[in-house]
Amino acid sequence: MKILAVILIILCGSPFCQEKERYTKARNQMVDSQIAARGISHPATLQAMRKVPRHLFVPASIESEAYSDSPLPIGYNQTISQPLIVAHMTALARPAKGKKALEIGTGSGYQAAVLAEIVDTVYTIEIVPELAKESAARLKTLGYGNIMVRYGDGYKGWPEHAPFDIILVTAAADHIPQPLKDQLAEGGRLIMPVGDPATVQQLIVLTKRKGKITEQRLEPVRFVPLKRLN
Ligand code: SAH
């Protein structure tokens, strides 16, 4: 124990540990001022966002901007969503222990990690092969053994693991793919930006009860387009 304490003291005087502490502080500030202050109150979502190291999900060159109030480029013409949007979509999905989630649009893997802090398992599909590979490696390094990343076209969902209690689509299209509606579990919730993929969309929440789907339309949002593989 004593040796461990000494090692910790030595390490925490190091730039590595100081940087880690600085990012932890920035992350808590992000949650307080950008998320909780704007009305997101779902405790598990706030807790997850205080924990997931967002700076390790963006390119090293912009690491210091990771906790700013905006989306950021992650390469291949794609973006990691603004923290508020990630929190909002997570809270809307009503994640909880025992649930299984599907995400379409892995991107950096950040949204998947936030969900994986709360639910049992996250399945996530990414259409850019390099991003799928990078995110899978990142999530493995960070110890997220409950996230499965797959390269492919998420339009068709992941039928082998359906049904899902939660389906989050983090790319925009002018309609909700039928396979995703079919793969929603009883009592499940699907969140997706729907509208003109080139301009503005509306955040939609679908709920399935007794096999019947109801739709709730929320505020305008902007996401990158959902692409299709030929
Ligand atoms: N959730 C991500 C950000 C999403 S950006 C994060 O937390 O970082 C949208 C992502 O959707 C991009 O990476 C894009 O390549 C991917 N995408 C677009 N169309 C797709 C499709 N049909 N299937 C799977 N992924 C898709």
Side-chain angles (χ1 to χ4, degrees), residues 31 35-36 39-51 87 90-91 94-96 114 117-118:
V31 173
I35 298 170
I40 310 266
S41 57
H42 187 249
T45 297
L46 298 180
Q47 204 184 340
M49 302 233 2
R50 287 188 197 281
K51 189 165 169 205
T90 306
R94 309 225 180 117
V114 171
E117 290 287 345
I118 311 170

Side-chain angles (χ1 to χ4, degrees), residues 78-79 103 105-108 111 125-128 153-154 170 227:
Q78 305 303 327
T79 54
E103 181 197 25
T106 316
S108 67
Q111 171 74 75
I125 306 176
E126 171 55 52
I127 206 166
V128 175
D153 184 350
T170 62
K227 295 190 270 189

Side-chain angles (χ1 to χ4, degrees), residues 89 92 167-169 173 175-176 181 189-195 201-207 213-221:
M89 287 180 82
L92 282 173
I167 300 182
L168 277 195
V169 187
H175 67 281
I176 298 177
K181 292 185 189 174
R189 291 165 73 80
L190 182 155
I191 326 291
M192 175 172 177
V194 181
Q201 309 92 37
Q202 205 173 6
L203 206 54
I204 304 281
V205 180
L206 292 191
T207 314
I213 286 184
T214 50
E215 184 181 296
Q216 202 187 343
R217 297 188 157 256
L218 304 177
E219 72 273 24
V221 286

Side-chain angles (χ1 to χ4, degrees), residues 54 57 72 74-81 86 103-113 124-128 131 135 138 150-156 169-172 223-229:
R54 186 171 159 95
F57 288 81
L72 293 170
I74 53 170
Y76 314 96
N77 268 331
Q78 305 303 327
T79 54
I80 178 174
S81 304
V86 174
E103 181 197 25
I104 308 303
T106 316
S108 67
Y110 178 70
Q111 171 74 75
T124 179
I125 306 176
E126 171 55 52
I127 206 166
V128 175
L131 281 176
S135 302
R138 171 180 296 124
R150 202 190 84 183
Y151 155 71
D153 184 350
Y155 189 95
K156 296 182 198 138
V169 187
T170 62
F223 275 80
V224 296
L226 186 77
K227 295 190 270 189
R228 298 300 315 275
L229 283 181

Side-chain angles (χ1 to χ4, degrees), residues 30 52-58 66-67 70 80-83 86 110:
M30 168 191 87
V52 181
R54 186 171 159 95
H55 63 284
L56 300 181
F57 288 81
V58 300
Y67 298 101
S70 62
I80 178 174
S81 304
Q82 179 192 14
V86 174
Y110 178 70

